[in-house]
Amino acid sequence: MAAKTRRSNSTTMQSPALHTRVALRRTWANRVFTLIYACAVLALLYRHFLNLVYSTTFTITSLAMLLADAVCAFMWATYQGFRMSPIRRQVFPENLATVVEQSDYPALDVFICTADPYKEPPMTVVNTALSVMAYDYPTEKLSVYVSDDGGSQLTLFAFMEAAKFATHWLPYCKKNRIVERCPEVYFRSDPSCFPETNKIKLMYESMKTRVENAVKAGSVCRDYITDEQQLQAFSKWTDGFTRHDHPSIIQVLLDCGKDKDATGHVLPNLIYVSREKSRTTPHNFKAGALNVLLRVSAGMTNAPVILTLDCDMYSNDPQTPVRALCYLLDPSMDPKLAYVQFPQLFDGINKNDIYGAEFKFEFQIDPPGMDGLGGSIHMGTGCFFRRRAFFGGPSSFVAPESPELSPTHVKTKPIQSREVLALAHHVAGCNYEAQTNWGSKVGYRYGSLVEDLYTGYRLQCQGWKSVFCHPDRAAFLGDAPITLDDLLNQTKRWSMGLLNVSFSKYSPISCGIRALNPLWALCYIHYSLWPIRSIPTIIYAFLPQLALLNSFSIFPKVSDPWFFLYIFLFLGAYGPYFLDYMLAGGTLQGWWNSQRMWMVRGLSSFSFGLVEYLLSSLGVSASGFNVTSKVVDSEQSKRYNQGILEFAVASPMFLPITMAAIINLFSFSQGILQVSRHGGFEALFLQILIAGFAVVNSWPVYEAMILRTDKGKMPMKITLISVILVWVLYLASLLTF
Ligand SMILES: O=c1ccn([C@@H]2O[C@H](COP(=O)(O)OP(=O)(O)O[C@H]3O[C@H](CO)[C@@H](O)[C@H](O)[C@H]3O)[C@@H](O)[C@H]2O)c(=O)[nH]1
Ligand SMILES: [Mn+2]
């Protein structure tokens, strides 16, 4: 494995390493292959060029194929950034004690975001919070801040319950050295029995029932409210209170200075924050919520290390913060290190990941490639930041507007003191950021629906670095969408967010290429232009097929030497991708599904994202952050576990998928008939091959249109509209060819 190993704590010669990095053995193979494939790509472009200049039969079809191939070539070239210097890191948390005593660990503020109690069940959020509150970390240094953008009593109520349950759960986990500290997952796993297990389980179940009852009823039953303080907290939900219009609500649910667990030990701080909202002031979605937490926490605990988490990403390993410290506290580490990113991994993905929702490349395979160049992307969740990184570059500090919010400000007042609470409410106000640097130079950056990638990128442009930490045991596990519609909406949102980045003032194309190492910038260019993949996907899904239906050949004949170039390009595009996927522990079917989903996304979410982005930049429509649902419907989940794709809703994004499935089937059968009757196989072979490949990929779509009777099948409306559109397309093609 190790081609070269670099010991990272060279200054402390005697002490054992806290972490190592090695170049992956495949690096040279990658580089050589890139060189060979680049020649093939150039040859293809040369062929197009010859065609353009000399051919008398150059048509609109040739132009479209040129466009498709040029975009593919560009995306391929930019992807090579990831493949040039991939590395693998390892951490040794057991050695941390040689560098720092536990009592000298930095304080840690954990930020958890939630936005909608109906799409993100409060019990999910509570489980995430409990799993981190129970970290193996000095409790008095740990604070958990929950941002509730849904402004929901239900979420607050769930956290009041969680605060009570934590007093039992935390000592139980620590005493019995439980590894699984997310209670839901722990009890589901049928744990071994300790004397208190049943009692704790009952407590958990009864909390769950109360919270779920409240969610079902849509309000908190008065009987559940046990004390005056709680009553006072809920009194903020007055008649005019809506999730889009309400004052800020900040509740300290556990105070480390006062509250003790059932065994008399201190508890971590637990603070509920629902920032002020007003319909007239933009709130910048999750980035805005995180900036509020940055300020509220600055006024309360101001920990130098921050962990950001999405509400569904529970901790799966109580040692995770210590792993992060192996980088953050290493005296020989580059002081420009801004964040340690753990991969986004998921719980409950079905056997072969039918939706490719694991994003194995983006969350597991590509980040080590970027890490070797300067640092991984930020994935929004599972990331330990140095607070200082949010305030200017490593050597150019940008002070916040108030010294009390500065990362260097030392806290002395108790978190529940009047001044501290007043400051917290003030900085959570919806007009607070006006005329400040928040969102532009300080904190999470605004202007993109992928605030995570964008913020990480902007930090790196300022000179910050990052590290990708991928331990064997997953550090965090989250939910992935289990319906196709949810998944496509998620990637549509990402597409728009990525285009925001591409066309921003700080675009990787103009800015990144100057600020970062060029290969590193290529990676960002590649991601930020993801949605343009839709162009070749759409062209390749329809054009060769329409040509085939008209017996019109657009690729070289089998006997033509150029034919082999196409075959090589096809295999060479899939081969490395396949190998990387399998080396990352994937299955053959998982890979197949993943490549299918890339085509599906290209047809639907990427193209819709591209169009919506264009419309919103023309001011025709506004783009928002449509939160992915984490609610599981039992029938849907049953189908998901059986590996059946869920269509069910009449989403316009299904139209291009269905149309492509129909047209490929027709052209494939027509092509076969044609060559068996009239010959010409040589000239049409590549088109038949492409259509055949698409037909095999479209199998689940045919099933959903014709064979299935369950509720998840393709809505008849979508099938009918697709048939009509395909017919129109075919008629139009008769005029073209
Ligand atoms: O106005 C908002 C919208 C969302 N969120 C939170 O943002 C998180 C991510 O939302 P989700 O719907 O789960 O989006 P995903 O597409 O699954 O998330 C990925 O993509 C997002 C950017 O689009 C990143 O923010 C996430 O970290 C990343 O995991 C959730 O905890 C939400 O509660 C807010 O706090 N406020
Ligand atoms: Mn999510």
Side-chain angles (χ1 to χ4, degrees), residues 113-116 120 147 149 275 277 283-286 289 309-313 344 363 379-381 449-452 479 490 493-494 625-630:
C113 287
T114 184
D116 183 332
E120 305 183 323
S147 155
D149 263 351
R275 59 186 165 139
K277 286 270 183 74
H283 58 78
N284 296 301
F285 313 106
K286 184 181 163 195
L309 284 179
D310 287 348
C311 64
D312 54 332
M313 285 279 162
Q344 252 204 66
F363 295 147
M379 300 169 193
T381 177
L449 283 174
V450 288
E451 73 303 314
D452 46 356
D479 291 336
Q490 182 191 44
R493 160 164 41 81
W494 292 356
F625 194 124
N626 188 1
V627 176
T628 310
S629 171
K630 284 108 189 156

Side-chain angles (χ1 to χ4, degrees), residues 34-283:
T34 296
L35 205 65
I36 298 171
Y37 199 82
C39 297
V41 170
L42 287 175
L44 177 74
L45 294 177
Y46 177 65
R47 179 173 186 267
H48 276 297
F49 172 77
L50 289 181
N51 236 339
L52 186 71
V53 178
Y54 299 111
S55 169
T56 47
T57 55
F58 193 85
T59 56
I60 185 89
T61 312
S62 329
L63 194 67
M65 293 314 290
L66 167 60
L67 175 68
D69 289 349
V71 174
C72 282
F74 176 78
M75 290 311 274
W76 172 83
T78 51
Y79 187 70
Q80 301 316 299
F82 295 99
R83 297 175 52 81
M84 292 302 102
S85 347
I87 58 163
R88 184 192 179 89
R89 292 184 184 272
Q90 239 188 316
V91 276
F92 305 100
E94 61 280 10
N95 297 342
L96 189 62
T98 59
V99 177
V100 57
E101 301 265 333
Q102 255 211 13
S103 55
D104 291 329
Y105 282 3
L108 171 64
D109 286 346
V110 183
F111 296 171
I112 301 175
C113 287
T114 184
D116 183 332
Y118 295 103
K119 284 185 169 177
E120 305 183 323
M123 273 317 286
T124 306
V125 197
V126 156
N127 267 286
T128 299
L130 287 165
S131 72
V132 286
M133 285 161 74
Y135 263 155
D136 282 335
Y137 203 78
T139 318
E140 67 285 359
K141 293 179 188 272
L142 187 60
S143 306
V144 175
Y145 293 85
V146 183
S147 155
D148 178 16
D149 263 351
S152 168
Q153 300 184 55
L154 303 169
T155 307
L156 174 59
F157 171 66
F159 272 90
M160 288 173 169
E161 291 286 308
K164 284 186 246 168
F165 178 66
T167 61
H168 299 278
W169 177 245
L170 269 49
Y172 173 76
C173 289
K174 290 185 182 169
K175 183 179 146 218
N176 300 312
R177 296 178 178 273
I178 309 291
V179 181
E180 198 50 85
R181 297 193 183 182
C182 167
E184 179 69 34
V185 180
Y186 174 73
F187 292 119
R188 212 194 299 145
S189 69
D190 200 13
S192 52
C193 235
F194 299 102
E196 333 78 301
T197 308
N198 281 335
K199 192 183 95 193
I200 305 267
K201 186 170 182 189
L202 277 179
M203 279 180 192
Y204 176 71
E205 295 298 339
S206 108
M207 158 173 83
K208 191 171 164 180
T209 312
R210 280 198 298 276
V211 171
E212 288 181 347
N213 282 348
V215 174
K216 231 180 272 161
S219 65
V220 183
C221 168
R222 286 281 161 238
D223 298 347
Y224 289 164
I225 303 175
T226 46
D227 62 49
E228 188 55 34
Q229 215 188 347
Q230 291 189 340
L231 205 60
Q232 219 180 346
F234 288 121
S235 68
K236 305 249 173 68
W237 275 265
T238 52
D239 283 345
F241 189 114
T242 68
R243 55 175 302 179
H244 305 292
D245 233 310
H246 66 81
S248 53
I249 298 166
I250 296 169
Q251 288 290 315
V252 177
L253 300 171
L254 287 176
D255 179 343
C256 169
K258 289 186 186 152
D259 295 306
K260 299 274 182 287
D261 70 23
T263 58
H265 290 99
V266 291
L267 281 159
N269 293 313
L270 175 62
I271 297 120
Y272 170 92
V273 179
S274 185
R275 59 186 165 139
E276 184 187 12
K277 286 270 183 74
S278 148
R279 277 196 182 275
T280 51
T281 320
H283 58 78

Side-chain angles (χ1 to χ4, degrees), residues 317-556:
D317 181 355
Q319 284 284 308
T320 301
V322 181
R323 289 180 200 280
L325 291 191
C326 285
Y327 294 105
L328 294 168
L329 297 186
D330 181 351
S332 67
M333 191 73 201
D334 187 345
K336 295 196 283 295
L337 175 67
Y339 61 85
V340 179
Q341 175 71 59
F342 286 81
Q344 252 204 66
L345 300 170
F346 303 93
D347 199 10
I349 295 256
N350 67 2
K351 192 162 147 256
N352 291 310
D353 189 12
I354 45 167
Y355 300 126
E358 202 182 2
F359 288 96
K360 216 178 188 47
F361 280 87
E362 296 63 32
F363 295 147
Q364 299 176 45
I365 301 168
D366 297 349
M370 290 182 79
D371 198 357
L373 300 168
S376 137
I377 52 161
H378 169 39
M379 300 169 193
T381 177
C383 189
F384 289 80
F385 280 96
R386 272 190 220 285
R387 186 181 284 265
R388 166 66 181 79
F390 290 109
F391 300 87
S395 49
S396 54
F397 179 59
V398 177
E401 56 299 334
S402 150
E404 287 165 296
L405 304 181
S406 168
T408 49
H409 190 75
V410 181
K411 297 290 124 192
T412 46
K413 298 204 179 78
I415 60 171
Q416 298 213 62
S417 67
R418 192 134 40 96
E419 299 95 307
V420 170
L421 285 176
L423 176 69
H425 280 89
H426 175 57
V427 298
C430 62
N431 294 317
Y432 177 84
E433 289 179 351
Q435 270 83 52
T436 67
N437 285 327
W438 287 95
S440 56
K441 291 195 181 123
V442 166
Y444 261 75
R445 306 304 200 261
Y446 299 154
S448 168
L449 283 174
V450 288
E451 73 303 314
D452 46 356
L453 176 132
Y454 185 52
T455 301
Y457 162 69
R458 292 281 305 274
L459 297 189
Q460 288 164 347
C461 285
Q462 285 183 308
W464 291 105
K465 298 278 187 295
S466 67
V467 152
F468 182 64
C469 185
H470 189 171
D472 291 340
R473 184 179 170 90
F476 303 97
L477 289 171
D479 291 336
I482 64 159
T483 75
L484 189 58
D485 187 46
D486 276 342
L487 182 109
L488 294 180
N489 274 304
Q490 182 191 44
T491 29
K492 188 174 87 182
R493 160 164 41 81
W494 292 356
S495 302
M496 292 188 283
L498 291 169
L499 291 170
N500 292 140
V501 179
S502 284
F503 297 105
S504 76
K505 200 170 124 196
Y506 302 95
S507 168
I509 305 162
S510 55
C511 243
I513 207 89
R514 276 181 281 136
L516 308 173
N517 139 2
L519 284 174
W520 199 13
L522 276 192
C523 300
Y524 277 112
I525 295 177
H526 180 84
Y527 277 155
S528 71
L529 285 172
W530 251 19
I532 66 166
R533 282 174 175 231
S534 56
I535 299 168
T537 314
I538 290 180
I539 295 177
Y540 267 97
F542 293 101
L543 202 57
Q545 296 74 356
L546 288 170
L548 183 58
L549 283 171
N550 290 280
S551 304
F552 184 87
S553 164
I554 57 174
F555 293 116

